[in-house]
């Protein structure tokens, strides 16, 4: 089935603006062991694929994917995307693709490998196939790529012209990934509810209402099934959670657009990448960012529902192993200056944090970042944490 985009008068900015939605991949194949039968399907998109993977996943392709492509008479070149989805890697891969005369790009790996493959394909105007090897993000689904520095600092994202042409989700392949990746994927996916409900919960537009409600369903699935799934990799419940993190999370951003995708949790993630580099993975930082967002709602709006939600998430995080505070992200020795740097980046004028229905000052964000585990009955941290006290707490 060909990829379809929905266009219409859907923007919440002005009644006359036009928003193009890139809702879904052209085709999704999922199941256990399906990788062995995808050669002919990939061949529909081209005969000279460039395979983009990371350090560990590139080695996996020699055994699990490249023989399948050869059997389908595809002439394949494989390339390591390097340390990150960064500008230097993108330029190198574009040159490699052109030298190989590639007519399709295949992304094989985690979120950064898939983001890199999608962006290279976008720049060269080639079809792209995504094959996730973990359930850590919904990158296999989305029409979006995040670009980082070579040290892992978030720089900007690129909205792509379409979702991947083909997504192949092989559960057997996902089971080979470290359990930590699925835990991180749960953190990244569950953020959809906490961010979409704040930015778009009052929208009257049909597709945005649908996206917000699907985000609520996604949250409930993850709260109810994650612990059981992590205990039984490959089980039916585990597959349902993988579907939630890789597929359903992508649907929400596709239907709701950018405003349903990211708010403060992802903004905090972006800031943290500038001080912790590759020390933690995407979904872990986003999960911590949800707690920061709820703490801001609690502090600045006296929102008791946010306070209750934060306490619920703290218990859930403890159960499955998501970070609850900076120390859990390897930032136990963070300085006040580093904290301020992360907060400044999270608050830059183009940041998604400004989708919150209230204004956040830098000292308020810093205070929230060091009080994610505060008890519900604690006094408003913005009134009790001075710069000196915050420095001592940090």
């Amino acid at each position: 089935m060909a990829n379809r985009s929905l266009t219409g008068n859907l923007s919440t900015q002005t009644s006359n603006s036009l928003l193009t939605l890139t809702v879904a991949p052209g085709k999704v194949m999922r199941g256990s062991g399906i990788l062995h039968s995808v050669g002919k399907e990939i061949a529909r998109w081209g005969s000279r694929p460039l395979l983009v993977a990371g350090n560990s996943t590139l080695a996996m392709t020699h055994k699990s994917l490249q023989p399948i492509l050869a059997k389908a008479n595809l002439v394949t070149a494989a390339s390591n995307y390097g340390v990150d989805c960064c500008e230097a890697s993108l330029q190198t891969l574009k040159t490699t693709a052109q030298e190989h005369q590639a007519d399709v790009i295949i992304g094989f790996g985690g979120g950064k490998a898939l983001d890199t493959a999608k962006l290279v394909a976008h720049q060269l105007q080639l079809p792209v196939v995504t094959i996730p090897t973990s359930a850590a993000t919904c990158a296999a689904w989305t029409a979006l790529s995040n670009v980082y520095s070579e040290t892992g600092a978030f720089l900007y994202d690129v909205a792509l012209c379409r979702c991947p042409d083909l997504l192949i989700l092989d559960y057997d392949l996902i089971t080979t990934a470290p359990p930590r990746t699925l835990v991180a994927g749960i953190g990244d996916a569950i953020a959809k509810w906490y961010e979409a409900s704040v930015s778009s919960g009052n929208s009257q537009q049909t597709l945005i209402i649908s996206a917000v409600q699907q985000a609520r369903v996604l949250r409930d699935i993850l709260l109810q099934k994650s612990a059981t799934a992590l205990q039984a990799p490959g089980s039916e419940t585990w597959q349902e959670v993988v579907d939630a993190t890789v597929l359903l999370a992508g649907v929400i951003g596709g239907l709701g657009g950018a405003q349903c995708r990211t708010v403060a949790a992802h903004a905090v993630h972006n800031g943290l990448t500038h001080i912790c580099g590759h020390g933690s993975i995407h979904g872990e930082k986003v999960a911590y960012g949800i707690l920061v967002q709820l703490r801001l709602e609690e502090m600045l709006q006296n929102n008791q529902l946010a306070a209750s939600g934060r306490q619920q998430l703290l218990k859930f995080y403890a159960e499955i192993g998501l970070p609850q505070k900076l120390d859990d992200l390897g930032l136990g020795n963070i300085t006040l200056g580093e904290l301020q740097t992360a907060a400044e980046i999270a608050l830059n004028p183009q940041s998604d944090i400004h989708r919150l229905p209230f204004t956040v000052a830098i000292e308020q964000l810093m205070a929230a970042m060091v009080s994610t585990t505060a008890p519900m009955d604690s006094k408003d941290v913005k009134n009790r944490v001075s710069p000196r006290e915050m420095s001592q707490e940090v």
Side-chain angles (χ1 to χ4, degrees):
M1 179 176 65
N3 181 69
R4 297 177 180 175
S5 295
L6 298 182
T7 59
N9 191 16
L10 304 172
S11 174
T12 59
Q13 302 302 315
T14 66
S15 59
N16 295 320
S17 61
L18 180 69
L19 177 65
T20 299
L21 295 180
T22 46
V23 177
K27 184 172 185 177
V28 176
M29 299 176 64
R30 64 187 179 116
S32 296
I34 62 167
L35 194 62
H36 300 291
S37 59
V38 300
K40 290 183 179 179
E41 193 67 42
I42 293 174
R44 295 182 181 182
W45 294 102
S47 61
R48 298 184 64 84
L50 172 66
L51 182 58
V52 176
N55 288 324
S56 59
T57 52
L58 190 60
M60 291 173 59
T61 67
H62 293 296
K63 179 180 180 181
S64 62
L65 182 59
Q66 293 195 51
I68 296 166
L69 301 178
K71 190 175 181 181
N73 297 317
L74 303 183
V75 181
T76 305
S79 186
N80 187 334
Y81 72 88
V83 294
D84 227 311
C85 180
C86 62
E87 292 174 350
S89 297
L90 291 165
Q91 187 56 52
T92 299
L93 287 167
K94 283 169 61 179
T95 300
T96 302
Q98 290 165 341
E99 290 175 348
H100 178 59
Q101 298 182 322
D103 52 9
V104 60
I105 307 296
I106 302 174
F108 185 93
K112 292 187 176 181
L114 302 181
D115 273 4
T116 305
K118 290 187 298 182
L119 190 45
V120 169
H122 172 80
Q123 292 173 341
L124 296 176
Q125 298 183 344
L126 294 175
V128 62
V129 177
T130 53
I131 307 175
T133 58
S134 77
T137 72
C138 58
W141 182 284
T142 61
L144 187 75
S145 288
N146 292 324
V147 179
Y148 296 79
S149 73
E150 293 184 33
T151 58
F154 174 83
L155 298 179
Y156 57 90
D157 56 38
V158 180
L160 309 176
C161 60
R162 65 182 187 275
C163 292
D165 298 282
L166 174 63
L167 189 166
I168 299 166
L169 178 61
D170 189 322
Y171 297 123
D172 290 351
L173 186 60
I174 303 293
T175 58
T176 66
R180 177 189 180 189
T181 58
L182 179 54
V183 173
I186 292 165
D188 189 33
I190 205 169
K192 294 291 187 290
W193 163 252
Y194 298 94
E195 294 186 297
S197 61
V198 166
S199 67
S200 308
N202 294 323
S203 175
Q204 298 302 307
Q205 297 181 44
T206 300
L207 293 184
I208 293 178
I209 291 171
S210 175
V212 172
Q213 291 307 309
Q214 287 188 69
R216 180 182 57 80
V217 171
L218 174 59
R219 176 204 63 184
D220 292 346
I221 289 171
L222 295 176
L223 288 175
Q224 294 166 14
K225 297 185 177 183
S226 292
T228 301
L230 291 166
Q231 294 294 321
S235 66
E236 183 177 340
T237 301
W238 178 88
Q239 291 182 7
E240 291 166 358
V241 170
V242 168
D243 284 350
T245 62
V246 178
L247 308 180
L248 182 53
V251 171
I252 293 160
L255 276 180
Q259 66 195 63
C260 282
R261 207 177 286 137
T262 56
V263 186
H266 278 79
V268 169
H269 160 275
N270 294 345
L272 289 175
T273 62
H274 287 257
I275 61 173
C276 65
H278 298 102
S280 54
I281 54 182
H282 176 81
E284 294 170 338
K285 291 188 282 286
V286 171
Y288 162 80
I290 303 170
L291 300 177
V292 175
Q293 177 177 307
L294 291 172
R295 188 68 177 125
L296 287 170
E297 295 176 60
E298 185 181 351
M299 289 164 44
L300 304 185
Q301 293 189 308
N302 194 28
N303 187 328
Q304 293 306 300
L305 188 60
S308 298
R310 183 172 59 85
Q311 295 301 320
Q312 180 188 34
L313 281 185
L314 286 171
K315 294 178 182 177
F316 176 65
Y317 285 12
E319 185 177 19
I320 69 169
L322 280 170
Q324 302 177 49
K325 54 188 183 299
L326 288 167
D327 190 26
D328 299 334
L329 292 169
L331 294 171
N333 295 321
I334 188 175
T335 66
L336 188 60
E338 290 171 330
L339 183 68
Q340 183 172 339
T341 295
E344 287 174 346
I345 292 166
L347 287 168
N348 80 65
Q350 290 76 42
S351 172
D352 296 322
I353 200 170
H354 302 301
R355 291 195 175 107
L356 288 171
F358 51 85
T359 301
V360 180
I362 188 167
E363 64 272 12
Q364 294 166 336
L365 179 55
M366 292 170 69
M369 291 174 72
V370 299
S371 63
T372 51
T373 58
M376 274 186 69
D377 60 352
S378 67
K379 297 227 178 154
D380 192 338
V381 74
K382 72 176 179 180
N383 293 325
R384 70 176 177 82
V385 182
S386 68
R388 177 176 295 180
E389 290 169 331
M390 193 183 301
S391 179
Q392 293 170 344
E393 193 164 347
V394 170

